Amino acid sequence: MTEKLFYEDSHKKVFTAFVKMCRPKGEYYEVVLDRTAFFPEGGGQYADTGWLEDSKVMDVWEKDGIIYHVTEAPVEENREITGKIDWDMRFMKMQQHTGEHIVSGLVHARFGYNNVGFHLGSGDCTMDFDGEITKEELREIEWQANEAAVKNLEVQVSWPSKEELVSLEYRSKIEIEGEVRIVTIPGYDVCACCAPHVKKTGEIGLIKLTNVQRYKGGARVTMLCGFRALADYDSKEQHVKSISALLSAKEEEISQAAGRMKEECGRLKAVLAEKQKRLLEYRAAEISGEETFACLFEEELEGDGPRILMNLVLARGIECCAVFLKTGDKSWRYVIGSMGEDMRPVAKGLNEEFCGRGGGKPEMVQGSLQGKEEDVRAWIEKKARRTKE
Ligand SMILES: [Zn+2]
């Protein structure tokens, strides 16, 4: 059995131990020590990383009480070595994990919901509860969780006997073989858990619940604790400041300013559409009534413009009309319509000739193609002549 130093002191960063075994495993090595501060995966907290001397520890796992360190390089057997855990990473995980206890304890006490899933991800943490939580309720839970943090309560660890456990009220009450480790945050949570936690709740820092959504008939809550919450505040502050500068609005008024801007944008779009329609009426009036197949190349049409122009031309009694809108160097969007003829063969022919795609109904086809204006125009004119004959 490996002696678990992380249970004696969750803040142990450096330790010495005796190397009992080192064997190759695939491209890595497995190292067993007589004691270790490296925590293997458990309680939703993933394994520590760090170093055994100069050899990097990539992963840690436990089987039958023996802890295996997966290292990049071998370490010498039968001698003392120094181990060092990646403390920043471990402390971050303990902050999130202890925060999760407080939030789950509060949710359990208030609603009776159980935490049925905890995921400590590389960006944030999620907790799944077997009941729904509203946004307002979440704000209240968040406030209470932060009260627990500032009270700087001691996180207590105990190993009650089987008899004591029977009468003890705690979360995660499942049949666990051997001793059960109980983690208590006085007034907030009592839970069976095997992972290391911070010693005092003040170490968690800010507990920010950033989201709640419906999930599998219950709720999924997203949380950031400590420096993660600070980093999130920092990033959101940058966004607010830059939006505030862009809108020339006070930081606390950017929502209203963005709302007004959206409204103004909608109004301008309507004005532009109306002006474009009037312009297109003039454009359509320029088309000679002699033509049977009008072919128009346009560069500045917004939204529905190409289709509106096509309809205006057809309304003048011209049999077929193709409108090409420039979308890039030699690339075009097209819409082709006719009052009587099937335009689908025209689209098919165009697509084949000019690497295009698209189709539609007999009276109207739409698509995109690649080609020079003069080549496309020549192709359409040839097609129009053939149709006439
Ligand atoms: Zn825990």
Side-chain angles (χ1 to χ4, degrees):
M1 298 277 262
T2 312
E3 190 187 338
K4 296 167 174 174
L5 300 174
F6 47 85
Y7 280 162
E8 278 169 34
D9 180 5
S10 66
H11 287 53
K12 199 171 238 339
K13 308 168 182 94
V14 181
F15 65 100
T16 56
F18 189 76
V19 182
K20 292 174 81 174
M21 189 204 79
C22 175
R23 65 182 179 202
K25 177 94 187 277
E27 52 182 318
Y28 299 111
Y29 296 85
E30 276 179 352
V31 180
V32 174
L33 308 171
D34 63 339
R35 53 191 207 148
T36 187
F38 281 88
F39 174 68
E41 193 170 359
Q45 188 167 317
Y46 51 96
D48 284 331
T49 53
W51 299 267
L52 291 180
E53 306 277 66
D54 293 331
S55 182
K56 207 161 179 211
V57 177
M58 328 282 293
D59 194 13
V60 186
W61 54 281
E62 180 177 4
K63 197 180 178 221
D64 301 328
I66 297 171
I67 293 174
Y68 297 84
H69 306 74
V70 180
T71 64
E72 246 177 10
V75 291
E76 202 183 315
E77 285 183 339
N78 300 315
R79 70 174 186 95
E80 284 264 309
I81 58 157
T82 304
K84 191 178 161 202
I85 63 170
D86 182 337
W87 175 248
D88 288 348
M89 202 60 178
R90 155 72 88 76
F91 186 66
M92 181 279 291
K93 288 187 272 190
M94 295 201 301
Q95 283 183 311
Q96 316 305 313
H97 189 136
T98 316
E100 180 261 318
H101 275 261
I102 292 174
V103 173
S104 295
L106 283 165
V107 168
H108 188 260
R110 177 162 172 181
F111 307 105
Y113 302 158
N114 297 300
N115 181 330
V116 290
F118 170 53
H119 175 69
L120 206 171
S122 56
D124 56 27
C125 271
T126 58
M127 293 169 266
D128 299 336
F129 295 101
D130 56 2
E132 288 187 17
I133 301 170
T134 66
K135 287 196 162 53
E136 294 70 35
E137 289 163 347
L138 192 78
R139 289 283 81 83
E140 289 165 22
I141 295 286
E142 180 184 80
W143 192 268
Q144 291 165 350
N146 281 284
E147 283 176 342
V150 297
K151 281 179 191 165
N152 206 20
L153 303 162
E154 194 190 339
V155 179
Q156 300 163 353
V157 175
S158 59
W159 304 84
S161 67
K162 283 240 174 316
E163 296 72 45
E164 288 170 313
L165 279 172
V166 174
S167 56
L168 188 66
E169 278 287 324
Y170 63 98
R171 293 191 304 112
S172 291
K173 204 166 189 169
I174 44 167
E175 281 303 313
I176 300 175
E177 296 240 347
E179 285 188 298
V180 176
R181 184 173 183 260
I182 295 291
V183 176
T184 303
I185 299 168
Y188 290 90
D189 191 39
V190 184
C191 184
C193 185
C194 64
H197 304 81
V198 297
K199 288 178 183 168
K200 290 193 147 196
T201 56
E203 289 176 67
I204 302 168
L206 179 67
I207 301 173
K208 184 68 197 160
L209 304 179
T210 54
N211 197 24
V212 61
Q213 60 193 112
R214 286 210 178 104
Y215 184 76
K216 290 185 177 172
R220 169 166 281 186
V221 173
T222 309
M223 175 183 75
L224 300 168
C225 291
F227 293 112
R228 276 189 173 181
L230 183 64
D232 184 56
Y233 191 128
D234 195 41
S235 138
K236 285 182 173 144
E237 190 184 23
Q238 296 301 327
H239 284 303
V240 167
K241 284 194 191 308
S242 85
I243 295 167
S244 159
L246 284 169
L247 297 179
S248 304
K250 286 181 187 167
E251 286 179 26
E252 61 273 25
E253 289 169 5
I254 56 171
S255 296
Q256 294 95 308
R260 282 195 300 274
M261 195 186 191
K262 198 179 167 195
E263 248 171 55
E264 180 65 3
C265 196
R267 195 186 64 80
L268 289 174
K269 267 188 185 165
V271 170
L272 184 66
E274 189 50 39
K275 294 220 185 292
Q276 177 173 266
K277 188 163 175 271
R278 290 176 59 188
L279 192 69
L280 294 178
E281 282 163 1
Y282 285 111
R283 182 86 175 92
E286 287 173 0
I287 311 295
S288 154
E290 307 287 294
E291 284 186 52
T292 52
F293 203 141
C295 187
L296 308 170
F297 287 81
E298 303 293 325
E299 293 203 358
E300 288 176 9
L301 291 182
E302 299 291 331
D304 235 6
R307 198 179 52 80
I308 294 169
L309 178 58
M310 178 198 80
N311 285 332
L312 288 167
V313 172
L314 292 177
R316 285 172 46 78
I318 290 153
E319 281 171 38
C320 307
C321 176
V323 178
F324 294 87
L325 176 66
K326 195 165 192 167
T327 52
D329 186 34
K330 284 192 231 162
S331 57
W332 306 87
R333 226 174 72 199
Y334 67 80
V335 52
I336 308 169
S338 167
M339 298 307 270
E341 278 182 61
D342 188 352
M343 289 292 107
R344 289 175 302 183
V346 178
K348 193 162 175 279
L350 267 177
N351 292 343
E352 279 167 12
E353 189 71 21
F354 298 100
C355 310
R357 52 194 297 183
K361 296 179 199 154
E363 65 275 16
M364 192 180 84
V365 291
Q366 312 185 66
S368 57
L369 55 77
Q370 308 279 329
K372 282 193 206 159
E373 180 181 332
E374 56 265 36
D375 295 342
V376 178
R377 189 184 288 279
W379 191 92
I380 291 275
E381 278 165 7
K382 206 166 123 195
K383 182 90 192 164
R385 272 200 305 277
R386 215 177 296 151
T387 316
K388 227 178 188 176
E389 288 154 12

